[in-house]
Amino acid sequence: MPALIPAVGYARRSSKAQDEASIPEQKRACEDFAREQGYLLVRWYSDDAVSGDNTDKRVEFLRMIKDAQTRGDFRAIVCWDHARFGRFDSLEQGFFGYQLRQANVHLVTVKDGALDWTKSVDRIIGSVKQEGKHEQLLDHSRNVVRGQLGAMQNGGWVGCPPYAYRLEGTRKNRRLVLGDPGHRLIVQRIYKEFADDGRSMNAIATRLNHDAVPTARGRVGKWRYDEIKVILTNPAYAGDFTAGRWEHGKYYTIKGRAVAKAERPGKKPESEWIIHRDHHEPIVSREIWERTQGIFANQKAAGRRVGHSPYSPEENPYLLSGLLRCGRCSCPMHGLRQSKYRHYKCSLNHDSRGKECSGTQVREDRVLLQVADFVDREFLALGGEQLAFRAELKELKPEDLPEGFARLKSLLSPPEQPAIDRKQIVGRVRELSVQIEKARKQLVLIDPEFIPDAQATIRELEQERDRLENALRKTGGGESDLNEQTFQALQALYWVSYLFRCVAQEHGREQPEDWTELLEEMRELNGGRPVAVLTGAARSPLLRRYLRHIAGITLHTRTEGSGKRRRHQLQGGEITLHPDVGATKELNRHFRGQRPAADR
Ligand SMILES: [Zn+2]
């Protein structure tokens, strides 16, 4: 005979319902049931003449919950049915369910079987539906959809406004009006980067994160390519009202401009949309909107996904993706793999099959070596070696730093830490700690279903706090740090050039042979601390950080031969840094002497 499971019984009778089983009847049924199912009842708790939703008055019930946590001498509660246990709303259900689950106690009932706390909310909803509420739900759904259809046909916006817009007007006639001017600039920037600069949606998201632009939900560093796509494909930004683009009603939906039974969720054909052209003030011009849709259509027709890079920004092996411009036509150059090397090729040349631009094509490593040279020249121009030497001896004073140094430092500093205001950060850390504490306390009050989400939020808060505390630790303030900071910045610059050369060297090879050696060497350079390089130099955050400060690199090549024997020789180029990196003037440098006049 298997061991009996220790359990307690719970019985309750409400004052009103006289047709309910009496407490002795409930107890008898439960005792029989417990014997059959292998439970050993160690105690009874019972509340008489208390209704199921008035938990505060259910003294015995509350004592039972407390005993489950403190005494811990039972694993189950045996009860007549779920309603005897309690008619809770889902919040309360979650509150008690969570406590019992933590105490490793489950509920079994004579009538309704076991209740799984992890799914309790589903069951409550399920039983509500079964008991006739379902019809009511359907009626409600039909009415809501009918109301929405009416509003849409009148050009009234249903649901949340798109990013950079807000809503004005009464409930059934809400109009889109221009929202936050800063958000509008971001929308325009996204369209420009996509349609004019030929950047992928991933690249656009990365750049927004790098500039610490908050998302629509106000979070920094959380832009992703799909949010960019939502903005690039929403006709609202060109001033058109469209509704009913998506099928998402659970019970009822809009079909053929009428209320109909819902089908599977998904995008509806354009013929089903409700469209009002030039309905509100646009944020982008009709011209760029149409060009953007054209790019999506072309990609689809070609079975190509140009706007959507298959790589995450951290893993894209095409390190210069989105940066290179053809020196002949200034169109963006796209990565392509040819033989065992990564190349970049003029997209206009590619798309027009050579008709509109005779083309520029370069091997990635050749460009990388030129960029490394560029970095070295910057280092030398600052007197980097001399500075680093003096910084190491702690001899530097603020006035010793050359003019370009602030710009250089911002080139290499991580984006999340602009000029650090200690006071502000200390305040933020305190604020975060309070939030974390509060969230932890609330954890027991919410539906078990939402606990993983809440825990994830807490983790996020904790990460932010740790990051800020680290930043505080790193910056002590005062003059002794000037030397340390200068030294670190110069060392970082030195590494950037070194890393560019490493990528160029390992270019095309599956696994660089001397990688462990390289890591070891860099660890030494870093004073024995581990180096933030994952598996290849190309993944170095330092390198990618530097690249993000480059607005574009225009390349000039000389071509020889024709047809299949055509060869491109890299002749020179200009690097343009982002104007926000210190000086606002553009920094044009030639790779190698003058641009060849003969080839223009
Ligand atoms: Zn071109």
Side-chain angles (χ1 to χ4, degrees):
M1 191 179 159
L4 293 174
I5 302 166
V8 295
Y10 178 72
R12 178 179 67 83
R13 206 172 105 105
S14 63
S15 46
K16 290 166 230 157
Q18 295 307 317
D19 53 345
E20 278 176 6
S22 69
I23 291 211
E25 278 168 359
Q26 286 182 35
K27 283 189 174 175
R28 239 188 334 271
C30 288
E31 262 151 10
D32 290 345
F33 177 77
R35 238 190 326 275
E36 277 168 37
Q37 302 288 320
Y39 291 98
L40 174 70
L41 291 184
V42 295
R43 247 185 336 273
W44 270 99
Y45 300 86
S46 48
D47 287 308
D48 204 359
V50 182
S51 98
D53 55 7
N54 198 349
T55 317
D56 287 351
K57 294 216 176 117
R58 291 166 60 189
V59 181
E60 289 274 271
F61 177 84
L62 294 174
R63 194 163 63 85
M64 174 174 73
I65 301 283
K66 196 158 171 252
D67 287 353
Q69 293 167 309
T70 52
R71 289 169 76 158
D73 58 351
F74 58 95
R75 295 271 73 85
I77 298 168
V78 180
C79 195
W80 168 248
D81 64 4
H82 287 165
R84 288 317 91 213
F85 187 70
R87 292 183 202 278
F88 308 116
D89 61 30
S90 57
L91 195 80
E92 244 185 328
Q93 174 90 33
F95 178 64
F96 295 119
Y98 180 71
Q99 294 181 50
L100 290 172
R101 197 177 57 180
Q102 291 297 91
N104 204 9
V105 169
H106 65 275
L107 176 73
V108 274
T109 67
V110 179
K111 248 178 81 183
D112 303 327
L115 183 76
D116 182 357
W117 296 119
T118 55
K119 289 176 190 150
S120 61
V121 179
D122 286 12
R123 296 189 71 122
I124 295 287
I125 294 168
S127 64
V128 167
K129 282 183 193 163
Q130 277 164 18
E131 286 160 27
K133 292 265 169 90
H134 193 52
E135 266 311 302
Q136 231 172 307
L137 211 68
L138 288 183
D139 272 354
H140 183 64
S141 160
R142 200 182 301 132
N143 288 337
V144 166
V145 172
R146 190 177 298 129
Q148 286 179 346
L149 178 63
M152 287 170 184
Q153 280 170 335
N154 287 325
W157 194 263
V158 172
C160 298
Y163 176 76
Y165 278 105
R166 59 190 177 80
L167 292 172
E168 240 173 35
T170 56
R171 200 166 66 86
K172 291 211 167 153
N173 190 19
R174 294 192 302 176
R175 305 277 150 178
L176 284 187
V177 291
L178 293 180
D180 186 312
H183 290 180
R184 268 144 54 195
L185 287 176
I186 295 300
V187 170
Q188 286 158 358
R189 163 177 165 172
I190 290 172
Y191 273 86
K192 183 188 167 295
E193 289 202 357
F194 185 77
D196 295 346
D197 305 347
R199 294 197 198 287
S200 74
M201 292 186 280
N202 254 332
I204 296 172
T206 308
R207 296 167 81 85
L208 288 171
N209 291 335
H210 173 252
D211 292 346
V213 174
T215 62
R217 289 162 69 192
R219 305 205 297 173
V220 172
K222 298 285 177 182
W223 284 96
R224 281 168 37 106
Y225 99 91
D226 40 7
E227 280 164 76
I228 305 293
K229 187 166 185 180
V230 164
I231 288 178
L232 287 172
T233 53
N234 192 341
Y237 293 111
D240 292 346
F241 174 99
T242 47
R245 289 194 295 150
W246 296 89
E247 166 96 59
H248 45 46
K250 193 164 178 192
Y251 302 110
Y252 285 93
T253 186
I254 297 166
K255 197 179 249 160
R257 316 278 145 86
V259 178
K261 281 246 183 223
E263 284 166 25
R264 282 203 312 181
K267 198 163 186 172
K268 292 202 250 186
E270 220 169 309
S271 57
E272 295 269 318
W273 299 2
I274 297 169
I275 301 172
H276 303 290
R277 249 178 97 94
D278 296 324
H279 183 264
H280 50 261
E281 207 164 327
I283 290 178
V284 299
S285 70
R286 176 82 48 197
E287 187 272 326
I288 199 168
W289 157 257
E290 263 154 21
R291 208 142 40 82
T292 301
Q293 305 319 304
I295 295 172
F296 281 118
N298 283 344
Q299 283 171 24
K300 212 172 164 189
R304 212 153 52 104
R305 303 177 81 193
V306 179
H308 176 188
S309 165
Y311 306 106
S312 79
E314 289 72 27
E315 286 176 344
N316 191 345
Y318 291 88
L319 207 54
L320 302 170
S321 157
L323 289 180
L324 302 185
R325 293 277 178 286
C326 167
R328 290 190 169 80
C329 67
S330 23
C331 280
M333 295 172 72
H334 290 148
L336 82 150
R337 185 133 196 139
Q338 214 165 63
S339 64
K340 60 176 191 170
Y341 293 113
R342 284 191 294 273
H343 286 77
Y344 296 87
K345 190 181 181 188
C346 165
S347 55
L348 182 64
N349 169 269
H350 185 86
D351 291 347
S352 69
R353 291 174 194 278
K355 282 190 197 101
E356 285 172 51
C357 173
S358 58
T360 298
Q361 188 174 329
V362 290
R363 232 170 77 178
E364 185 180 66
D365 57 332
R366 302 258 156 85
V367 185
L368 287 172
L369 287 176
Q370 298 298 343
V371 177
D373 282 349
F374 170 80
V375 177
D376 283 349
R377 277 201 303 273
E378 292 240 298
F379 186 81
L380 291 175
L382 279 169
E385 267 177 270
Q386 190 60 29
L387 271 182
F389 183 63
R390 289 179 57 199
E392 210 172 4
L393 296 174
K394 310 258 178 239
E395 277 180 359
L396 281 184
K397 302 235 166 1
E399 60 271 21
D400 296 338
L401 292 177
E403 220 173 280
F405 190 75
R407 185 183 59 79
L408 168 90
K409 228 178 94 192
S410 58
L411 267 173
L412 299 161
S413 63
E416 293 92 340
Q417 311 174 346
I420 280 183
D421 179 349
R422 283 187 71 87
K423 226 176 177 176
Q424 211 181 333
I425 291 187
V426 169
R428 177 80 184 131
V429 167
R430 202 171 298 139
E431 202 178 291
L432 282 167
S433 303
V434 172
Q435 275 180 19
I436 291 165
E437 195 51 38
K438 220 162 132 191
R440 281 220 187 98
K441 276 188 188 147
Q442 279 168 354
L443 213 52
V444 292
L445 291 171
I446 59 173
D447 273 350
E449 193 182 21
F450 298 126
I451 284 174
D453 280 349
Q455 282 171 333
T457 309
I458 292 177
R459 259 197 304 281
E460 256 172 49
L461 290 172
E462 285 173 338
Q463 275 166 7
E464 194 188 344
R465 183 186 58 185
D466 293 349
R467 196 171 51 69
L468 290 175
E469 279 178 345
N470 263 332
L472 280 178
R473 228 167 283 137
K474 273 188 204 154
T475 58
E479 217 166 87
S480 61
D481 288 294
L482 175 87
N483 283 288
E484 173 73 18
Q485 282 176 21
T486 308
F487 187 75
Q488 278 180 3
L490 289 166
Q491 200 181 34
L493 191 66
Y494 177 83
W495 276 358
V496 166
S497 142
Y498 193 55
L499 284 164
F500 274 126
R501 288 180 206 283
C502 293
V503 185
Q505 202 185 37
E506 69 178 278
H507 176 94
R509 285 187 228 150
E510 280 306 311
Q511 205 78 58
E513 300 120 48
D514 50 355
W515 187 239
T516 17
E517 215 174 296
L518 191 70
L519 268 178
E520 214 40 59
E521 201 176 317
M522 288 188 58
R523 192 195 295 268
E524 249 165 64
L525 269 169
N526 199 21
R529 291 185 293 271
V531 179
V533 177
L534 299 175
T535 54
R539 294 200 182 176
S540 158
L542 185 64
L543 205 58
R544 291 185 184 261
R545 198 181 299 151
Y546 184 87
L547 282 171
R548 279 175 210 153
H549 288 287
I550 297 181
I553 304 174
T554 306
L555 297 174
H556 307 283
T557 57
R558 197 206 303 272
T559 54
E560 284 153 19
S562 61
K564 284 215 161 143
R565 305 203 57 89
R566 194 153 185 251
R567 292 287 173 271
H568 299 259
Q569 277 286 347
L570 183 60
Q571 293 293 300
E574 299 100 38
I575 291 184
T576 311
L577 296 178
H578 274 301
D580 60 322
V581 188
T584 46
K585 64 177 173 25
E586 283 199 346
L587 247 182
N588 293 328
R589 301 278 173 97
H590 293 293
F591 281 154
R592 231 186 253 164
Q594 287 298 305
R595 207 188 302 169
D599 200 45
R600 293 283 295 170

